[in-house]
């Protein structure tokens, strides 16, 4: 369980919305939705500890901080960094290894498996500055699969990608949920949220409302 109590999120002591209180159940598939600029990414980044809360708390029951993985927005990443796809995806092994620890045979197999899952095995040695937007997103998703953390926070995993990539990533997200992962994603596609997500955190007019999704389409789920 992630318990959020009177959490004030924002920057330089300036709140972006009213204090937030609610719970994210372990094993749930939750979407954070709301209009542009309302604070969705700020909430996600605060939950994973990337930016400090102004006040209030998030407490984790049965989860350690290291058990949280994060899928960033592509725009937050330096795409000119001289590194290839395999190297980025293998970073998913780092939380389980000591600094400068070499990749084991098992690690390499896991990276290869993840590249297969997102169907970019042929791009393994490609420099990241030569990837299309969709290929880049698939690579970031492969890194998340390698990391295999119990809690996964995703900032707009479907932004700027084509329908095939969307369907592939959605299918992988649903598989991860079925395997018991706790997933929280910032999303804009309301019909996708209503069809597949078990819980919805609505940010609007400076308020956050935590809901169970009663419209969940059980057939497609
Ligand atoms: N680094 C920052 N420093 C100061 N203010 C910021 C920073 N990042 C975002 N903001 C502001 O915080 C508010 C919330 O931004 P946030 O990115 O969380 O919104 P969002 O709901 O994710 O929006 P979108 O749907 O457009 O991605 C906005 O007013 C934004 O301008």
């Amino acid at each position: 369980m992630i318990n959020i109590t009177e959490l004030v999120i924002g920057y330089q002591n300036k709140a972006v919305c009213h204090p937030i209180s609610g719970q994210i159940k372990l094993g749930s598939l939750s979407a954070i939705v709301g209009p542009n600029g309302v604070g969705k990414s700020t909430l996600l980044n605060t939950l994973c500890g990337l930016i400090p809360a102004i006040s209030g708390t998030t407490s984790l029951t049965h989860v350690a901080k290291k058990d949280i993985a994060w899928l960033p927005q592509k725009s937050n990443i330096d795409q000119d960094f001289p590194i290839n796809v395999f190297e980025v995806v293998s970073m998913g092994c780092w939380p389980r290894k000591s600094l400068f620890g070499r990749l084991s045979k098992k690690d390499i197999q896991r990276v290869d498996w993840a590249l297969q899952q997102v169907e970019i095995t042929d791009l393994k040695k490609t420099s990241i500055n030569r990837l299309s937007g969709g290929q880049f997103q698939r690579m970031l998703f492969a890194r998340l699969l390698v990391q295999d953390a119990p809690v996964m926070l995703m900032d707009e995993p479907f932004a700027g990608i084509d329908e095939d990539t969307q369907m592939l990533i959605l299918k992988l997200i649903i598989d991860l949920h079925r395997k018991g992962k706790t997933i929280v994603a910032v999303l804009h596609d309301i019909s996708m949220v209503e069809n597949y997500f078990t819980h919805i955190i609505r940010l609007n007019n400076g308020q956050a409302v935590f809901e169970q999704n009663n419209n969940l389409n059980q057939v497609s789920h």
Side-chain angles (χ1 to χ4, degrees), residues 9-12 14-17 32-45 51 73 155-156 186-188 203:
I9 58 170
Y11 304 88
Q12 291 97 38
K14 198 160 168 273
V16 302
C17 65
I32 303 177
V33 301
N36 289 138
V38 78
K40 301 180 296 297
S41 298
T42 307
L43 173 59
L44 198 78
N45 292 344
I51 53 177
Q73 259 186 33
D155 199 353
E156 300 202 27
V186 173
L187 287 187
H188 283 283
L203 289 190

Side-chain angles (χ1 to χ4, degrees), residues 113-188:
W113 165 82
L115 291 169
Q116 270 172 26
Q117 294 296 301
V118 299
E119 300 174 5
I120 55 167
T121 300
D122 53 330
L123 298 173
K124 189 171 164 173
K125 298 280 178 220
T126 304
S127 171
I128 64 168
N129 62 8
R130 301 185 59 183
L131 299 178
S132 72
Q135 291 166 341
F136 199 91
Q137 194 66 352
R138 286 175 190 232
M139 173 188 73
L140 294 181
F141 209 86
R143 185 177 65 180
L144 197 73
L145 292 176
V146 167
Q147 199 171 342
D148 196 32
V151 179
M152 299 180 173
L153 307 180
M154 306 178 186
D155 199 353
E156 300 202 27
F158 303 108
I161 56 177
D162 69 16
E163 208 170 319
D164 282 355
T165 309
Q166 271 199 28
M167 291 322 293
L168 178 83
I169 290 181
L170 177 62
K171 191 176 154 296
L172 290 168
I173 289 176
I174 292 168
D175 281 350
L176 289 168
H177 169 57
R178 287 199 177 122
K179 286 180 186 147
K181 305 288 186 195
T182 306
I183 299 171
V184 185
V186 173
L187 287 187
H188 283 283

Side-chain angles (χ1 to χ4, degrees), residues 3 34 55 59 70 94 106 131 141 145 150 156 158 160 175 179 189 196 205 215:
N3 280 306
S55 62
S59 66
W70 181 61
W94 285 3
K106 221 169 141 195
L131 299 178
F141 209 86
L145 292 176
E156 300 202 27
F158 303 108
D175 281 350
K179 286 180 186 147
D189 183 340
Y196 298 102
N205 293 326
N215 298 320

Side-chain angles (χ1 to χ4, degrees), residues 33-85:
V33 301
N36 289 138
V38 78
K40 301 180 296 297
S41 298
T42 307
L43 173 59
L44 198 78
N45 292 344
T46 309
L47 289 179
C48 67
L50 273 176
I51 53 177
I54 294 175
S55 62
T57 57
T58 54
S59 66
L60 307 167
T61 318
H62 304 301
V63 194
K65 270 257 181 268
K66 69 170 179 43
D67 290 337
I68 301 181
W70 181 61
L71 181 76
Q73 259 186 33
K74 183 172 155 267
S75 55
N76 291 348
I77 295 172
D78 179 3
Q79 281 169 258
D80 288 327
F81 198 73
I83 188 167
N84 70 29
V85 169

